Amino acid sequence: MKSLIDFFNDSVAQYGNNTLIWEKTKATYSSYSYNTIKSEVYLLAKGLLSLGVEQGERVALLSEGRKHWLVSELAILHCAAINVPLSTKLDADADLVFRINHSEAKIIICSVVQLAKIRIVKQELPLVSKIIVIDSISDLQDKEITLASLIENSTQLNNEYSDLLTQRISLVTPDTHANISYTSGTTSDPKGIILTHRNYTANVEQAFSFINIPQHYRTLVVLPWDHAFAHTAALYSFMHKGASIASVQAGKNQIETLKNFTNNIQEIQPDILMSVPAMAKNFKKGIVNGIAAKGLMAKTLFKIGLRVAYFYNGDGDNKGRGLRIMAKPLYAIFNAIIFNKIKLKFGGNLKFFIGGGALLDIDLQRFFYAIGIPMYQGYGLTEAAPIISANTPRIHKLGSSGQIVNNLKVNICDSDGKPLPIGEKGEIVIQGENVMKGYWKNEKTTKETLVNNWLH
């Protein structure tokens, strides 16, 4: 039974000199070790205490994925406070205002890009007393302070807040609330999902039910860091194993940031990537268009290679079995002349994707499996922190959501809560340490329908 602070400190103790975060703000990436990040977390935590952050107080975090995103969250948690991660896709409108006011956040930490939104709606945020701007900025307005000046102040007051920080850390237990993560709110007002430290740490432990991440592995986190999928499967899972995460170089807007991804993936050469269906479709489109641009011969060979790979791979769990074994030599040839060259576009070290966020079409799964960088689909919900099941290199079946992680009970039931036979559609009921307590436990929780046998 551990808190996120325990997780972090355990990793610092074991992997202190390893790189935790890679960040690119200039021409090249800079690396920051576990020890360095811990020092920054403590300085920012003392800075937050100097602003009067209380136990259980909510602090909103609105920023692109970057070093100070993780530093900010950990600093908030060290103060025994609650982080409210907000999506950068939110506009300066009622949706943003609702989340900040509903969570009762009194402090906002934001990037300079997101600051423009906060300034537009600031008059509608009566509880907000301070806005901490991560980046350097000269034209500060009312209630605004730069993160650099806050840390400078906390450095000067280091001794004054050291004892208070130690006290606050001692108040954090596995059952302490860590996050309020908001749903999309597409059909009604968004709901704030309250997740504890143990919800996250239990789910990180469960994430390694059928997989392992060596400490030398890297991932480039292109998904929004506030998203439960990226939050657990990338940030905290890689931290738990002493591995490293890299942020995509921030642009002036989301489109520019995504364009940077193409260069960043060559620089970081990730071992694993997290993906969602929309991203998978764009990857496939880019690959197909690139092959087509090389001429008719390349296009024809690619299509033949895919057909051979589809036959040989089957559904993954029957790869190379029976008559499929006859295609192995031919598949090896297409790997050498085509597929291995495609993998270089993803940095050259990519072993596989982890797919989530929505249903990943089986045709996309077969495509990426064929070219040698499988996209293993999982299933989860924010309320479950979020991993419920996943395909992995060791155990996978294309078209399924994989096996249930360890120490989690899942039933598929009818509308009356009675378990259904294998293969029947129904409503999912889950129970486990990673599941949000008091709302999910022993209740019908969602009308998401699942049809595969492995997730029964």
Side-chain angles (χ1 to χ4, degrees):
M1 294 286 287
K2 292 185 176 181
S3 69
L4 285 169
I5 295 176
D6 295 327
F7 255 36
F8 177 57
N9 285 330
D10 286 350
S11 292
V12 172
Q14 293 181 69
Y15 314 110
N17 293 323
N18 286 10
T19 295
L20 171 54
I21 297 179
W22 295 86
E23 182 174 63
K24 185 178 182 182
T25 56
K26 297 179 181 178
T28 59
Y29 269 92
S30 297
S31 63
Y32 301 88
S33 70
Y34 281 75
N35 285 327
T36 298
I37 296 300
K38 180 172 182 177
S39 298
E40 293 194 21
V41 167
Y42 272 59
L43 282 174
L44 181 53
K46 292 171 186 177
L48 292 174
L49 292 176
S50 72
L51 295 179
V53 171
E54 299 290 344
Q55 178 187 4
E57 190 168 303
R58 289 74 179 248
V59 179
L61 177 56
L62 180 61
S63 171
E64 301 73 24
R66 57 193 297 179
K67 179 186 70 168
H68 276 111
W69 197 103
L70 184 58
V71 169
S72 295
E73 167 151 289
L74 289 170
I76 294 166
L77 299 182
H78 276 68
C79 294
I82 303 170
N83 181 30
V84 183
L86 299 173
S87 172
T88 56
K89 295 180 180 179
L90 292 169
D91 293 320
D93 55 21
D95 284 341
L96 179 59
V97 171
F98 176 86
R99 287 164 171 79
I100 295 173
N101 286 337
H102 183 262
S103 66
E104 299 180 345
K106 296 180 181 178
I107 291 178
I108 300 173
I109 302 176
C110 66
S111 67
V112 69
V113 174
Q114 302 301 319
L115 177 62
K117 300 176 184 177
I118 299 299
R119 284 178 171 178
I120 291 173
V121 301
K122 188 162 56 176
Q123 298 306 315
E124 301 176 58
L125 308 173
L127 295 178
V128 174
S129 60
K130 192 68 67 176
I131 300 166
I132 302 170
V133 186
I134 294 174
D135 307 276
S136 298
I137 182 174
S138 57
D139 62 332
L140 291 171
Q141 296 183 6
D142 181 43
K143 299 182 180 181
E144 297 173 0
I145 182 175
T146 64
L147 184 142
S149 62
L150 178 62
I151 290 178
E152 181 181 356
N153 182 56
S154 70
T155 303
Q156 295 172 354
L157 301 173
N158 184 50
N159 293 332
E160 183 178 341
Y161 289 98
S162 291
D163 291 342
L164 179 57
L165 179 57
T166 300
Q167 179 186 351
R168 288 293 183 83
I169 292 172
S170 70
L171 297 175
V172 177
T173 72
D175 290 330
T176 298
H177 294 163
N179 278 174
I180 300 177
S181 297
Y182 279 88
T183 60
S184 61
T186 51
T187 57
S188 62
D189 283 339
K191 294 176 176 60
I193 309 302
I194 303 174
L195 294 169
T196 67
H197 284 249
R198 185 55 184 160
N199 289 151
Y200 280 117
T201 60
N203 204 213
V204 169
E205 292 166 1
Q206 291 168 322
F208 296 103
S209 299
F210 316 109
I211 196 174
N212 189 39
I213 295 176
Q215 59 181 287
H216 66 270
Y217 268 29
R218 301 179 184 181
T219 187
L220 179 62
V221 189
V222 66
L223 299 180
W225 289 28
D226 65 281
H227 195 288
F229 175 32
H231 202 178
T232 299
L235 307 190
Y236 287 117
S237 291
F238 273 67
M239 176 194 295
H240 182 47
K241 293 295 184 175
S244 60
I245 59 178
S247 61
V248 176
Q249 184 180 10
K252 296 178 181 178
N253 51 52
Q254 289 183 344
I255 294 176
E256 185 176 312
T257 299
L258 287 174
K259 286 181 179 179
N260 289 336
F261 174 77
T262 303
N263 293 327
N264 295 165
I265 200 170
Q266 294 295 326
E267 296 165 306
I268 291 298
Q269 299 179 344
D271 297 276
I272 302 173
L273 283 176
M274 311 299 154
S275 179
V276 292
M279 187 182 299
K281 291 176 183 178
N282 286 334
F283 286 154
K284 180 181 177 180
K285 182 179 179 181
I287 292 169
V288 171
N289 289 344
I291 293 291
K294 294 182 181 296
L296 182 61
M297 179 63 74
K299 184 177 179 180
T300 302
L301 284 173
F302 183 62
K303 286 184 176 181
I304 295 172
L306 286 178
R307 285 198 289 268
V308 170
Y310 290 169
F311 173 73
Y312 175 72
N313 290 332
D315 289 327
D317 59 336
N318 58 352
K319 178 179 179 180
R321 295 184 180 179
L323 292 177
R324 299 180 191 277
I325 193 65
M326 297 173 63
K328 185 174 183 179
L330 191 55
Y331 182 36
I333 292 173
F334 282 108
N335 257 327
I337 65 175
I338 298 178
F339 299 149
N340 287 341
K341 294 178 181 178
I342 293 174
K343 287 190 281 187
L344 293 176
K345 298 292 184 181
F346 292 89
N349 288 331
L350 187 61
K351 279 75 173 174
F352 56 87
F353 293 89
I354 297 292
L359 177 64
L360 183 64
D361 188 88
I362 191 169
D363 289 338
L364 283 171
Q365 294 181 46
R366 287 176 174 147
F367 178 85
F368 285 100
Y369 200 95
I371 64 176
I373 42 175
M375 195 167 284
Y376 297 119
Q377 175 164 270
Y379 178 81
L381 298 164
T382 299
E383 292 87 340
I387 306 168
I388 294 173
S389 68
N391 285 280
T392 63
R394 187 163 61 90
I395 307 174
H396 55 267
K397 181 179 181 181
L398 305 184
S400 79
S401 293
Q403 289 200 322
I404 304 299
V405 295
N406 293 339
N407 302 315
L408 187 69
K409 181 180 179 181
V410 176
N411 286 323
I412 294 178
C413 304
D414 61 20
S415 58
D416 295 321
K418 297 179 181 178
L420 290 168
I422 289 176
E424 294 290 326
K425 292 183 180 180
E427 300 176 352
I428 183 171
V429 179
I430 59 178
Q431 181 178 347
E433 278 190 294
N434 67 312
V435 182
M436 187 181 71
K437 296 180 180 179
Y439 178 83
W440 283 88
K441 196 172 183 179
N442 294 327
E443 296 181 18
K444 285 189 297 181
T445 57
T446 178
K447 293 186 178 179
E448 295 278 354
T449 56
L450 305 168
V451 197
N452 71 84
N453 293 345
W454 286 16
L455 191 49
H456 180 82

